[in-house]
Amino acid sequence: MGWFFSPQWSPRSKTHRRRFGDGMKSDQVEAWLDDHSDFTRAYFLRRTSALKPLSNPERTDRSSPDVLGTHSPCSLRSSRFCFSPSHQLSPICPGTPETPLSPHPLRPSITKAACGQGECCPWMMELLRVGLSWMGSVAELCQGAVLHAGELLAAEGSCLSLLKKDCSGQNTLEEVIGLMALGCLSDGILCSQAHQELVKSIMDCVLATGSPLNLRDISEDPRFNVDDDQSSKIRTVLSIPIKNHRGEVFIVICLHLNDQVLSNHMDVLGMVLDNVQLYESSRQEAKRSQVTTVLSMEHHSFEVLLSKMAATIMPFTHAQYCTIFIPGDQTFSCGWRRGRDISDIDPSYALRTLVAMEILNMSESSGESMSLICCPVRNERSEDVIAVCQLMNKRGRDSDEMEAFNRYDERLLEDLAVYCGLALQYAQAVQITEERRASIEVTQEVLAYHITAAEQEIQSLQEATIPSAESLYILDFNFSDCGLAEDLTSQATIRMFLDLKLVQDFNIDYKVTDLCQWVLTVRRGYRNSVPYHNWNHALSTAQSMFAMLMTIFSRLEILALMIATLSHDIDHRGVSNSYIERSQQPLAQLYGHSSLENHHYNLCLFILNNTGSQILSGLSTEDHKSVLHMIKRAILATDLAVYMERRKEFFSLCKKTRVSWKSEKQRDLLRSMLMTASDLSAITKPWPEQQRIASLVATEFFAQGDKEREEFKIKPIDIMDRKNSTRLPYMQVEYINDICYPLYKVLFDTCSPLLNGCKKNRDNWLNLLLTGLCERRFLLKNIILNWSFVACLF
């Protein structure tokens, strides 16, 4: 910090006339330097480049305008000084994959400088002058520093580690320069497991205390376990921490020597290395951003994505070859920078990575002929390995010489693997989606073929003479489909569309195909095996709507209501929504609520879009959208749970003296109630028809109850419990009183025949209930009398 407090150093500012250091504390100066990094960097480089070695610094007058102040660069302790990462430290773009080297590489100086005695160290001067403009890799910078320090101090071995936080947030040391021999010792001796553990324990101690550790005889220190073999190889050790500008330890270096010069050198190294790391971090972020941009693009082929991944990874890592392995499939080879046959690729390393699920670096054990690194690519959610990325033969930045993949290459590849994993997951999801879409299209084609009526049947309906509404009794609320031939049910449907003038108003093709095919296809969509919710029920519901349609409805509303009534139970399975949800059928998973009703609407929509059944093709885009919306709302309204939720609002609205029914909300509510009134109209039919339909409903309900008792081991509700079959009159009276009668009572003006029929059937069921009670009482009385007579005999 002597440079910065020199009286000769003061910024020439109009607003600051006094010298820079006057009246300011060191922390204020440092804060100013941090906030004005552009000025600081320019000045620092300019002043450093002008430095010249002093022949005899001890004779320099301290009061003279000495540019170095009272400290030589070798004693410089400016670890708090750093350049802000927000300012570019190199003219090279951080995101450029190929960063050229400076013409002044930081190599160990061969000059035997008298470091620590006041003379300038050429290596340190070169580091200060060039280090801020040349940003090579951290590993190269650290290696140069270790070699230089070892050369100066005649060390026999050295190592250097950087601080790293693990997943739990704990500080650990990550080896950057492994334990290597600098003097007469061999690498084999120093790289033994015992020596590595000893050195690691020493560096961990320095990290924990944050203070240097100078051991003149390591065997005498009780903190470290040293056997005779180790003490003969490693005896004198010096390990010091290097701190960043926040005072935090981020590097630990260990040398087999004893000299104070190491601390002086490493302070300068720490200052430069801290900035290099910041720059490396910004460059890494730029690389991640570039990878994200490339991999987030939509790719039409899985192979194209793999090729893009390889082509993106290779420039960043300087690898000669990149191969992506997909487990379970053939090996995908892509993105070769130089030609190589896929048959030459050895998948054994990728297989080891797949099994171990950890990164594999074979650089050290592979010798100089090959360097290889394999990284697992994981699924973000399941953590399963979905691919393995293998890099081979790292080339130097300025030459084709082979280099080993270092820890920074491992970190970079791990980061890239995260984005590659996300891209692969997305590509696989898109592929699965496309396959399912194609499967759905095939299923729809098969369904359309089987559900569409035969040509002969369609032609027969086209050529038939449609009976009048009077002869078919479709204007009568007492209409019954019982005994009606199947052909007549289709003709009755056509008659309703003709009499309502829907064919003429909406240009529905009748004599060619559309209407006839649509009616017959809807009829085929109902399951004949279902006792009650079948085509006959759909026709009866449509007939009730046809008979009570109000004049207040528009033409589009009438069209929507007629389509909705005929389609409202299409493909009914004879079970309720509760059973579908309890049995976790796909319908429940697909829709969640009102499963059956949503399914009915989707099938209705499918048939309307089927070729030859497009009866809405004559509508404008706006009318088409409006009709489909009303059809969906009307079909969903047939869910009794929806009816029970909305009827209170409807009843309150009908109690008002004047209701205009002009707002869409009111009209939607009215349409929904008319759908329910039509759906429940079987309860209003003449007594014989009502008994027949009640028996069909009970058959369907009891069959569901049997399934629930057998599959779920539960007691069904009363109306579905076969054990309550003798209580049918009671359940019918309860059903009329709670569900049907309140609705028909409100709709009295429009549906008086329905209300009257409902009342009559309630009385009939009530009489049947009372008759049953009387019969049971008479039977019980006879049993009691008989038992009394028998008792008298004894």
Side-chain angles (χ1 to χ4, degrees):
M1 294 300 293
W3 292 351
F4 303 142
F5 290 109
S6 170
Q8 292 295 317
W9 189 53
S10 59
R12 293 165 175 78
S13 171
K14 295 181 179 180
T15 57
H16 295 81
R17 296 298 183 183
R18 61 179 181 175
R19 288 177 299 185
F20 181 69
D22 294 348
M24 298 181 67
K25 297 181 180 179
S26 61
D27 56 348
Q28 293 175 321
V29 175
E30 293 171 5
W32 190 93
L33 293 177
D34 290 340
D35 295 337
H36 299 78
S37 56
D38 288 339
F39 171 83
T40 306
R41 177 176 179 273
Y43 179 84
F44 190 75
L45 291 174
R46 185 171 67 254
R47 301 304 295 175
T48 304
S49 61
L51 290 177
K52 295 181 179 179
L54 300 178
S55 58
N56 191 358
E58 294 180 353
R59 300 176 59 182
T60 303
D61 187 3
R62 295 188 180 184
S63 62
S64 64
D66 183 6
V67 114
L68 296 180
T70 60
H71 300 281
S72 69
C74 292
S75 62
L76 177 66
R77 298 186 179 276
S78 57
S79 60
R80 282 190 55 83
F81 173 78
C82 77
F83 295 114
S84 172
S86 63
H87 298 281
Q88 188 173 341
L89 301 180
S90 170
I92 306 300
C93 175
T96 306
E98 300 290 346
T99 305
L101 288 176
S102 167
H104 307 285
L106 298 178
R107 300 297 182 186
S109 172
I110 60 175
T111 303
K112 297 294 184 177
C115 296
Q117 299 181 8
E119 290 193 358
C120 301
C121 170
W123 180 84
M124 293 174 63
M125 291 297 97
E126 184 73 4
L127 180 66
L128 291 172
R129 186 178 69 83
V130 181
L132 295 176
S133 60
W134 173 75
M135 292 296 176
S137 70
V138 174
E140 292 175 356
L141 185 60
C142 292
Q143 186 174 16
V146 168
L147 292 175
H148 177 64
E151 180 184 1
L152 281 176
L153 304 176
E156 294 182 337
S158 66
C159 62
L160 184 146
S161 297
L162 290 179
L163 191 68
K164 178 184 177 182
K165 289 186 180 293
D166 57 19
C167 298
S168 61
Q170 298 294 325
N171 292 329
T172 58
L173 289 175
E174 184 179 59
E175 185 180 90
V176 176
I177 305 299
L179 192 60
M180 62 179 181
L182 300 176
C184 60
L185 295 180
S186 65
D187 287 333
I189 294 176
L190 288 179
C191 292
S192 66
Q193 185 68 25
H195 286 89
Q196 289 181 357
E197 292 180 357
L198 175 61
V199 172
K200 184 178 184 303
S201 62
I202 294 174
M203 300 178 77
D204 286 338
C205 181
V206 172
L207 174 63
T209 60
S211 302
L213 184 63
N214 191 346
L215 301 174
R216 296 183 178 274
D217 189 349
I218 193 173
S219 61
E220 297 179 357
D221 196 314
R223 292 174 293 180
F224 309 106
N225 296 323
V226 183
D227 56 26
D228 294 337
D229 181 65
Q230 290 175 326
S231 62
S232 63
K233 304 297 187 298
I234 301 178
R235 187 174 186 86
T236 304
V237 176
L238 176 63
S239 180
I240 67 169
I242 304 175
K243 301 181 180 181
N244 59 18
H245 66 283
R246 295 182 296 275
E248 302 168 344
V249 177
F250 76 107
I251 309 176
V252 177
I253 186 170
C254 183
L255 295 175
H256 304 168
L257 49 84
N258 182 4
D259 200 305
Q260 183 62 27
V261 175
L262 182 63
S263 296
N264 299 332
H265 280 67
M266 292 305 107
D267 276 347
V268 178
L269 173 65
M271 179 183 65
V272 176
L273 188 57
D274 194 18
N275 287 282
V276 172
Q277 282 188 304
L278 292 175
Y279 173 74
E280 285 280 345
S281 298
S282 64
R283 190 168 58 178
Q284 293 285 73
E285 291 299 325
K287 290 179 179 179
R288 295 188 186 99
S289 176
Q290 184 175 345
V291 171
T292 305
T293 303
V294 173
L295 298 183
S296 62
M297 298 171 59
E298 184 176 354
H299 301 93
H300 301 287
S301 168
F302 200 69
E303 288 75 11
V304 172
L305 173 62
L306 295 176
S307 179
K308 285 285 186 68
M309 289 169 56
T312 305
I313 293 173
M314 290 172 64
F316 290 156
T317 56
H318 302 279
Q320 185 180 10
Y321 304 113
C322 176
T323 311
I324 309 295
F325 294 89
I326 305 297
D329 296 332
Q330 296 294 328
T331 300
F332 285 90
S333 60
C334 48
W336 301 119
R337 177 167 292 181
R338 299 172 186 173
R340 184 166 184 175
D341 190 357
I342 183 61
S343 61
D344 296 339
I345 301 298
D346 182 6
S348 60
Y349 301 111
L351 182 60
R352 289 171 56 183
T353 304
L354 177 65
V355 175
M357 301 178 66
E358 294 180 353
I359 196 166
L360 175 66
N361 193 337
M362 301 295 295
S363 301
E364 296 180 1
S365 61
S366 300
E368 298 182 356
S369 60
M370 180 189 71
S371 59
L372 178 144
I373 185 172
C374 288
C375 179
V377 179
R378 302 176 185 272
N379 184 296
E380 182 186 20
R381 295 184 178 180
S382 63
E383 291 296 322
D384 296 333
V385 177
I386 59 177
V388 175
C389 179
Q390 176 178 293
L391 303 179
M392 291 183 62
N393 300 348
K394 179 182 178 181
R395 297 298 183 182
R397 297 172 185 243
D398 54 350
S399 68
D400 287 337
E401 295 181 1
M402 186 81 65
E403 293 184 2
F405 290 104
N406 54 39
R407 294 295 178 88
Y408 284 90
D409 294 323
E410 294 181 11
R411 286 186 183 180
L412 175 59
L413 188 56
E414 287 177 339
D415 291 341
L416 297 178
V418 173
Y419 297 101
C420 291
L422 294 174
L424 285 175
Q425 287 177 247
Y426 174 75
Q428 290 174 344
V430 171
Q431 186 176 16
I432 293 173
T433 301
E434 290 298 316
E435 291 175 356
R436 290 179 177 175
R437 181 190 59 78
S439 176
I440 290 173
E441 290 182 356
V442 173
T443 303
Q444 288 178 341
E445 290 176 2
V446 175
L447 176 61
Y449 172 78
H450 287 284
I451 201 174
T452 303
E455 290 292 336
Q456 184 177 359
E457 192 176 10
I458 297 173
Q459 185 177 359
S460 177
L461 181 57
Q462 291 173 346
E463 296 175 353
T465 301
I466 306 300
S468 64
E470 290 76 12
S471 62
L472 292 170
Y473 301 101
I474 57 177
L475 294 173
D476 191 350
F477 280 104
N478 293 330
F479 169 82
S480 174
D481 58 89
C482 180
L484 196 63
E486 194 172 45
D487 292 343
L488 287 177
T489 60
S490 302
Q491 294 175 16
T493 305
I494 297 293
R495 174 50 60 191
M496 287 188 282
F497 272 75
L498 291 173
D499 286 5
L500 289 172
K501 301 187 183 304
L502 299 177
V503 174
Q504 302 88 323
D505 292 348
F506 297 106
N507 299 320
I508 299 176
D509 192 349
Y510 162 46
K511 284 298 183 180
V512 179
T513 303
D514 286 355
L515 184 58
C516 294
Q517 180 174 319
W518 178 80
V519 171
L520 294 173
T521 302
V522 171
R523 191 183 79 183
R524 290 169 64 92
Y526 283 87
R527 303 189 180 193
N528 295 329
S529 59
V530 177
Y532 174 66
H533 291 97
N534 49 39
W535 166 247
N536 290 334
H537 167 65
L539 176 63
S540 179
T541 303
Q543 184 273 328
S544 297
M545 179 64 74
F546 171 74
M548 67 176 177
L549 273 173
M550 304 175 182
T551 57
I552 65 171
F553 287 128
S554 67
R555 306 300 298 160
L556 283 177
E557 288 176 307
I558 294 174
L559 176 63
L561 288 172
M562 291 305 300
I563 294 176
T565 50
L566 287 166
S567 308
H568 81 283
D569 274 333
I570 192 170
D571 196 44
H572 200 289
R573 284 88 188 283
V575 292
S576 64
N577 283 326
S578 61
Y579 177 83
I580 291 176
E581 293 171 5
R582 188 178 289 113
S583 58
Q584 297 182 347
Q585 293 186 14
L587 281 181
Q589 299 174 357
L590 186 60
Y591 301 114
H593 63 89
S594 298
S595 302
L596 280 171
E597 288 72 26
N598 277 289
H599 177 57
H600 302 327
Y601 168 72
N602 282 335
L603 270 182
C604 170
L605 187 61
F606 172 75
I607 295 174
L608 288 172
N609 290 329
N610 191 23
T611 303
S613 300
Q614 299 171 341
I615 62 175
L616 301 181
S617 60
L619 275 65
S620 65
T621 302
E622 184 177 352
D623 288 345
H624 188 273
K625 181 179 179 180
S626 177
V627 166
L628 290 182
H629 174 73
M630 288 188 288
I631 292 173
K632 182 176 183 178
R633 294 285 297 175
I635 293 178
L636 294 180
T638 58
D639 184 355
L640 281 180
V642 176
Y643 160 70
M644 297 301 292
E645 291 176 0
R646 304 190 67 187
R647 71 173 188 173
K648 183 178 180 181
E649 179 185 358
F650 180 71
F651 293 167
S652 299
L653 187 62
C654 291
K655 288 180 180 179
K656 297 181 180 180
T657 55
R658 293 183 180 179
V659 182
S660 61
W661 305 107
K662 290 183 179 180
S663 69
E664 175 56 28
K665 182 179 179 181
Q666 292 177 345
R667 298 176 76 86
D668 175 69
L669 185 59
L670 178 59
R671 292 194 299 267
S672 299
M673 293 300 124
L674 287 183
M675 284 294 298
T676 303
S678 302
D679 193 20
L680 305 179
S681 61
I683 201 68
T684 68
K685 301 299 180 182
W687 175 241
E689 180 69 6
Q690 162 60 192
Q691 285 183 301
R692 183 185 70 84
I693 295 176
S695 178
L696 295 175
V697 173
T699 301
E700 189 174 303
F701 282 5
F702 291 157
Q704 176 178 328
D706 295 341
K707 291 180 181 179
E708 292 177 343
R709 193 186 302 277
E710 179 181 354
E711 296 176 11
F712 311 133
K713 310 301 179 184
I714 62 173
K715 182 182 181 300
I717 60 176
D718 290 343
I719 61 175
M720 294 185 179
D721 193 349
R722 193 177 297 277
K723 296 179 180 180
N724 291 329
S725 58
T726 58
R727 300 181 65 242
L728 181 59
Y730 169 79
M731 291 187 292
Q732 284 294 99
V733 172
E734 189 177 39
Y735 168 67
I736 293 173
N737 289 336
D738 294 343
I739 305 296
C740 306
Y741 184 77
L743 177 60
Y744 293 130
K745 183 180 179 181
V746 173
L747 293 174
F748 179 82
D749 294 338
T750 305
C751 308
S752 57
L754 299 179
L755 177 63
N756 295 332
C758 183
K759 286 181 179 179
K760 291 179 181 179
N761 285 327
R762 182 180 62 176
D763 294 340
N764 290 330
W765 285 113
L766 188 59
N767 290 334
L768 193 60
L769 174 62
L770 295 176
T771 302
L773 290 174
C774 292
E775 290 177 353
R776 285 194 292 273
R777 289 176 183 174
F778 177 76
L779 179 61
L780 180 61
K781 181 178 180 181
N782 287 339
I783 292 174
I784 294 175
L785 291 175
N786 290 336
W787 275 104
S788 299
F789 175 74
V790 173
C792 291
L793 294 177
F794 292 93

